[in-house]
């Protein structure tokens, strides 16, 4: 179902020829030309593409490093698109890695459905279903037909400075014989804890497979493991590895292996023989000479590939830790076994995405937060069938505290930003560390002081202002123009008092509002995205436009409380929320949130907040 939904979305997007409609999703770039190229790892072409009109910057897009894309000719849509992977990008150009040079002069780039990953997931499910031995035991434990086992916790000499709950999580995970869960609410140092666990496992002589569902999350693990001076190798398409970390990728490390000098020589000799075979001369070659040369060239290439495979094996054998996405190419791992597999950001992976690393390990450690957003699932039918229910969430529901340790000290938010989420989602267990408990924007070096910088939380109630939501023209997503203009004014004020643009984020639950906000704010350094797109991120100040404002009290997918948990916990020093209490307050969760805002003195009406000049301008637009 998910595969069909993804394919349908890609097909619909490729049918949209209008630039504004096609590019506004953030999943397509049109009218691109090849500006330059080079040869990358493995002989791939690295194509740098820019807008045909080189004075234009690229529109905002979701084509991140590592994204699978299709490169299609805009001159002849009958030409088959070329599969590619984004290898780098900036505001003016995007670089993609391809195996074959694409035909055409002008191109479109479309985010592609990753069917290779889905095939690997299907293969993993089939392998797990029929598995016996250790893999069968893990399968049965995960499915709830075999109880998880736990050894005696050993004394741990910690290698880095951790708080008590982090230490407990490491010790608990080390004692687990089958599975364990590290539950990391926002800002609690989940990755730091996971890195300590991995290092402790290596100290005990273990081999560790460290995985996550996205390339970004894997690179985050890799970066910290490299900083800790561990013996680590990153596998996967080199274009999907952050440029600063590529020296630790398998491709680069194999290129530097002592075998590769011989591999290159053998390949050159084979190529020379093939050229000689194809060369026309007046002298007729001796009977069978060409066949002998072909056979010799073939043997040279086979010997080169054998040496290359040995180089790969040597690099992986020497590593204590191998980092990969959860759906990496298992042929590279071959039949390699690991004492432990780690799955970070496990709540962002569907269940099929987790089975692959499990196939290679004797023990599995999951890390994530099931109180934040579940895996992204496009097919509503698939989601109804349970596809959006992660393996981590399922394990917590089955075994609870038996396998789960929660981190409790958070290092991101002012306590007033944290407290509501702590009560609603974590049984009031979170504690703001002293370093962040009372920090505010006013503690930063600003040009001038302002009330917005002197408080941690502000909620502006737009009830009664007639700032009604609307459907985006030529679309289906919702937006709220008056809220967008009001938020824009607040962003301008933050910049005026000296807050760095790179410290500001504006988020909204609806893509149409995000697009409108980008038009209004017009500052590329300020990140503007959906709540879903901003999960895992943080900024000093976050402004949230709630969008929904209607007479029926309809709030749509805002009813998924986890979305609000994510939205509110992105802010470090300042959380600024704009919404209509009359629409939101009919929901019990939002009613409690509004009461919380009032209890900490964060509640304000729109009439208090808008300056007279801004009020005239916005309400004039409303009247028109």
């Amino acid at each position: 179902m998910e595969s069909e939904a993804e394919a349908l979305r890609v097909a619909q997007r490729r049918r949209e020829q209008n630039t504004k409609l096609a590019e506004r999703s953030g999943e397509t770039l049109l009218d691109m030309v090849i500006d330059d190229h080079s040869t990358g790892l493995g002989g791939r072409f690295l194509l740098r593409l820019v807008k045909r009109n080189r004075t234009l910057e690229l529109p905002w897009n979701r084509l991140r490093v590592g994204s699978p894309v299709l490169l299609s000719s805009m001159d002849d849509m009958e030409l088959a698109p070329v599969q590619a992977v984004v290898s780098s990008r900036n505001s003016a150009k995007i670089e993609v890695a391809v195996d074959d040079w694409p035909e055409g002069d002008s191109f479109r780039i479309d985010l592609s459905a990753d069917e290779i990953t889905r095939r690997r997931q299907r293969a993993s499910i089939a392998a797990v279903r029929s598995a016996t031995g250790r893999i069968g035991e893990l399968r049965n434990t995960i499915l709830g037909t075999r109880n998880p086992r736990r050894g005696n916790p050993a004394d741990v000499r910690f290698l880095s400075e951790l708080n008590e709950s982090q230490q407990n999580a490491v010790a608990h995970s080390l004692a687990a014989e089958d599975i364990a869960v590290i539950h990391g609410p926002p800002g609690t140092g989940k990755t730091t804890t996971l890195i300590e666990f991995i290092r402790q496992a290596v100290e005990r002589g273990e081999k560790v497979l460290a995985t996550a569902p996205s390339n970004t999350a894997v690179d985050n693990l890799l970066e910290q493991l490299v900083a800790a001076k561990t013996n680590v190798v990153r596998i996967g398409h080199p274009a999907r590895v952050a440029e600063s970390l590529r020296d630790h990728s398998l491709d680069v490390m194999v290129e530097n292996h002592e075998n590769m000098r011989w591999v290159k020589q053998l390949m050159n000799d084979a190529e020379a023989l093939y050229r000689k075979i194809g060369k026309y001369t007046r002298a007729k070659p001796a009977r069978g000479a060409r066949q002998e040369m072909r056979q010799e060239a073939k043997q040279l290439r086979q010997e080169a590939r054998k040496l290359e495979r040995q180089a790969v094996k040597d690099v992986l054998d020497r590593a204590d830790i191998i980092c990969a996405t959860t759906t990496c190419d298992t042929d590279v791992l071959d039949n390699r076994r690991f004492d432990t597999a780690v799955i970070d950001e496990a709540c962002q992976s569907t269940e099929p995405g987790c089975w692959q690393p499990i196939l290679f390990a004797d023990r599995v450690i999951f890390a994530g937060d099931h109180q934040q957003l579940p895996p992204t699932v496009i097919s509503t039918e698939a989601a109804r069938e349970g596809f959006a229910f992660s393996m981590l969430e399922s394990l917590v529901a089955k075994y609870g505290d038996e396998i789960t340790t929660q981190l409790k000290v958070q290092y991101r938010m002012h306590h007033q930003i944290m407290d509501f989420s702590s009560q609603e989602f974590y049984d009031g267990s979170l504690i703001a560390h002293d370093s962040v408990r009372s920090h505010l924007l006013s503690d930063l070096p600003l040009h001038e002081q302002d009330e917005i910088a002197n408080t941690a939380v502000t909620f502006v109630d737009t009830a009664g202002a007639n700032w009604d939501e609307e459907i985006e023209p030529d679309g289906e997503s919702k937006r709220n123009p008056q809220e967008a203009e009001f938020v824009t004014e607040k962003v301008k004020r933050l910049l005026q008092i000296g807050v760095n643009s790179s410290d500001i984020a504006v988020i909204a639950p609806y893509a149409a509002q995000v697009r409108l906000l980008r038009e209004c704010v017009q500052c590329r350094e300020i990140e503007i995205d959906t709540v879903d797109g901003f999960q895992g991120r943080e900024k000093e100040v976050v402004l949230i436009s709630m969008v929904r404002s209607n007479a029926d009290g309809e709030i749509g997918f805002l009813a998924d409380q986890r979305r609000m948990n994510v939205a509110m916990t992105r802010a470090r020093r300042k959380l600024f929320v704009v919404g209509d209490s009359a629409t939101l307050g009919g929901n019990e969760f939002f009613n409690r949130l509004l009461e919380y805002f009032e209890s900490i003195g964060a509640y304000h009406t729109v009439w208090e907040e808008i300056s007279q000049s801004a009020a005239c301008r916005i309400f004039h637009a409303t009247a028109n």
Side-chain angles (χ1 to χ4, degrees), residues 1 39 55 93 243 282 300 328 347 409 414 436 473 505 527:
M1 292 172 186
T39 302
T55 63
K93 63 185 178 183
E243 194 169 354
R282 291 186 179 182
L300 289 171
C328 67
C347 288
V409 182
H414 188 286
V436 301
E527 291 195 56

Side-chain angles (χ1 to χ4, degrees), residues 126-312:
V128 168
R129 181 183 292 124
S130 60
T132 58
R134 184 61 184 139
I135 297 171
E137 290 178 346
L138 283 175
R139 174 200 62 214
N140 294 341
T141 301
I142 289 167
L143 296 180
T145 61
R146 174 182 177 272
N147 290 328
R149 297 172 304 162
R150 178 174 169 78
N152 295 320
D155 290 334
V156 183
R157 293 180 57 198
F158 292 99
L159 303 171
S160 55
E161 189 175 335
L162 302 178
N163 63 52
E164 184 179 355
S165 65
Q166 290 172 326
Q167 291 179 355
N168 289 340
V170 172
H172 183 274
S173 300
L174 289 169
E177 295 185 6
D178 300 306
I179 56 175
V181 173
I182 298 175
H183 177 198
T188 53
K190 171 179 59 66
T191 304
T192 299
T193 307
L194 211 49
I195 297 301
E196 176 71 21
F197 166 79
I198 293 170
R199 294 175 67 193
Q200 290 288 344
V202 169
E203 286 282 311
R204 287 159 171 71
E206 295 189 21
K207 295 284 187 177
V208 179
L209 176 62
T211 70
S214 71
N215 285 285
T216 300
V218 175
D219 285 345
N220 188 31
L221 284 173
L222 177 62
E223 185 175 29
Q224 295 200 39
L225 288 167
V226 168
K229 296 182 169 49
T230 60
N231 186 5
V232 59
V233 175
R234 166 76 150 96
I235 65 173
H237 195 305
R240 294 182 172 179
V241 182
E243 194 169 354
S244 61
L245 297 170
R246 284 181 189 164
D247 285 348
H248 302 278
S249 69
L250 179 62
D251 288 62
V252 170
M253 296 178 83
V254 168
E255 283 288 327
N256 295 329
H257 189 275
E258 55 267 23
N259 281 10
M260 294 310 290
R261 180 165 61 92
W262 302 107
V263 170
K264 290 173 183 175
Q265 183 61 56
L266 289 167
M267 294 298 280
N268 287 338
D269 291 347
E271 184 63 29
L273 282 171
Y274 281 121
R275 283 198 301 269
K276 188 174 181 181
I277 292 167
K279 191 173 182 180
Y280 290 95
T281 62
R282 291 186 179 182
K284 188 176 180 180
R287 182 184 297 273
R290 283 182 174 173
Q291 182 61 31
E292 288 177 7
M293 284 190 286
R294 285 195 189 95
Q295 186 62 31
E296 184 181 354
K298 183 179 178 182
Q299 289 174 345
L300 289 171
R301 289 172 69 93
Q302 287 175 341
E303 183 63 25
R305 283 194 287 269
K306 183 178 178 182
L307 286 171
E308 191 171 36
R309 285 195 296 271
Q310 185 59 49
V312 170

